[in-house]
């Protein structure tokens, strides 16, 4: 069974640009969440999607957005990039997060210069 | 008060010893609790979950939950150098309906 796949693995962008990250969950998983991980802040919740609907959102500015498609694949977008957006962005999927928690992808390392 | 709190460590234990990792959480309505292990440069990997008060054992790992004290712990018996990693406590918060992670505890097992 394939795991959670995130693309690309690494990305370098310039301040002010926008970026789109992609996530393919484990087959059958309808819940997808995104987290930002930095050395200073740890794992911070961005948003969660279930069956194409955003269920909740973390405390991030509106520049961070996401969506989920009918096949459960998800994308997140960050517009007007800032240096502080440099981080590891992790996608995670679950069949039932309350019972089984999440399985994480390998992440996308975003560097903003 | 942070939603999920962990001692950042590092916690250093000799090989073969028991490592004890602790976590407290703020939302009394939380119902499921997870421990993840994260090696340097890798993504978090689920190693244990627990829902009910008491202990849950899986191999060398034991998760302990005390809902009255809002406290979760992870014991690693016969610690090995390969257990050296950051251990993340995660709590499914009823308030906000989200899985919240602690900052993690760095564990170092010395041979």
């Amino acid at each position: 069974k394939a795991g959670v796949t995130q693309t690309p693995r690494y990305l370098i962008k310039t301040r002010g640009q926008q970026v789109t990250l992609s996530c393919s969950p484990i087959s059958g998983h309808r819940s997808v969440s995104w987290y930002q991980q930095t050395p200073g802040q740890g794992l911070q919740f961005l948003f969660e999607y279930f069956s194409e609907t955003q269920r909740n959102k973390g405390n991030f500015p509106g520049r961070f957005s996401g969506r989920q498609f009918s096949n459960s694949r998800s994308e997140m977008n960050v517009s007007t990039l800032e240096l502080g957006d440099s981080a590891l962005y992790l996608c995670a999927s679950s069949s039932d997060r309350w019972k089984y928690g999440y399985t994480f992808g390998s992440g996308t390392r975003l560097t903003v210069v | 008060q942070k939603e999920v709190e962990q001692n950042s460590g590092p916690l250093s234990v000799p090989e073969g010893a028991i490592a004890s990792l602790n976590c407290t959480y703020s939302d009394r309505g939380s119902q499921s609790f997870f421990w993840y292990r994260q090696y340097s440069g890798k993504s978090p990997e689920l190693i244990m979950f627990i829902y009910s008060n008491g202990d849950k054992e899986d191999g060398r790992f034991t998760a302990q939950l005390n809902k009255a004290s809002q406290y979760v712990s992870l014991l690693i018996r016969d610690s090995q150098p390969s257990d050296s990693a950051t251990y993340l406590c995660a709590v499914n918060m009823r308030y906000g309906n989200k899985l919240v992670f602690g900052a993690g505890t760095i564990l170092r097992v010395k041979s």
Side-chain angles (χ1 to χ4, degrees):
Chain A
K1 197 173 187 181
V4 180
T5 303
Q6 291 188 247
T7 56
R9 289 294 307 277
Y10 302 93
L11 211 46
I12 299 175
K13 290 287 188 179
T14 305
R15 273 182 302 176
Q17 287 187 312
Q18 76 165 16
V19 66
T20 299
L21 311 181
S22 180
C23 172
S24 293
I26 290 172
S27 178
H29 285 190
R30 291 194 290 167
S31 172
V32 174
S33 283
W34 290 87
Y35 288 83
Q36 181 196 66
Q37 188 173 37
T38 58
Q41 298 296 318
L43 269 165
Q44 299 290 312
F45 171 73
L46 281 157
F47 24 67
E48 179 185 17
Y49 287 89
F50 185 86
S51 294
E52 302 180 68
T53 301
Q54 185 179 88
R55 283 212 283 208
N56 45 35
K57 188 176 181 346
N59 295 324
F60 279 82
R63 300 184 296 106
F64 291 81
S65 63
R67 58 179 176 168
Q68 187 181 31
F69 303 96
S70 58
N71 61 359
S72 292
R73 192 177 69 84
S74 178
E75 289 181 347
M76 67 162 280
N77 183 78
V78 188
S79 62
T80 319
L81 284 165
E82 300 178 358
L83 295 179
D85 297 332
S86 296
L88 179 66
Y89 289 87
L90 290 161
C91 171
S93 75
S94 181
S95 57
D96 184 338
R97 123 163 99 78
W98 288 93
K99 282 185 183 176
Y100 308 119
Y102 282 127
T103 300
F104 282 87
S106 298
T108 294
R109 172 73 62 184
L110 172 65
T111 302
V112 182
V113 297
Chain B
Q1 182 188 5
K2 288 186 179 178
E3 293 172 302
V4 180
E5 294 206 61
Q6 295 181 254
N7 187 324
S8 61
L11 171 66
S12 291
V13 300
E15 184 175 356
I18 296 175
S20 177
L21 306 162
N22 305 314
C23 170
T24 58
Y25 58 95
S26 61
D27 181 5
R28 191 170 286 277
S30 301
Q31 303 227 328
S32 53
F33 309 85
F34 305 87
W35 282 99
Y36 284 80
R37 177 176 61 199
Q38 186 173 25
Y39 291 113
S40 180
K42 301 292 187 182
S43 59
E45 171 195 13
L46 180 65
I47 55 172
M48 288 287 287
F49 59 87
I50 187 166
Y51 314 131
S52 306
N53 277 331
D55 296 1
K56 179 183 177 183
E57 189 174 316
D58 184 1
R60 295 187 296 114
F61 299 100
T62 299
Q64 298 175 316
L65 173 61
N66 184 326
K67 287 187 177 180
S69 300
Q70 294 173 238
Y71 176 93
V72 192
S73 65
L74 178 70
L75 301 178
I76 306 175
R77 290 181 299 283
D78 188 23
S79 295
Q80 301 297 309
S82 58
D83 295 326
S84 297
T86 298
Y87 289 80
L88 301 163
C89 172
V91 178
N92 259 319
M93 298 268 172
R94 179 108 19 215
Y95 177 75
N97 187 24
K98 57 187 178 181
L99 186 66
V100 177
F101 285 80
T105 298
I106 298 170
L107 173 66
R108 294 182 181 151
V109 181
K110 298 183 176 180
S111 56

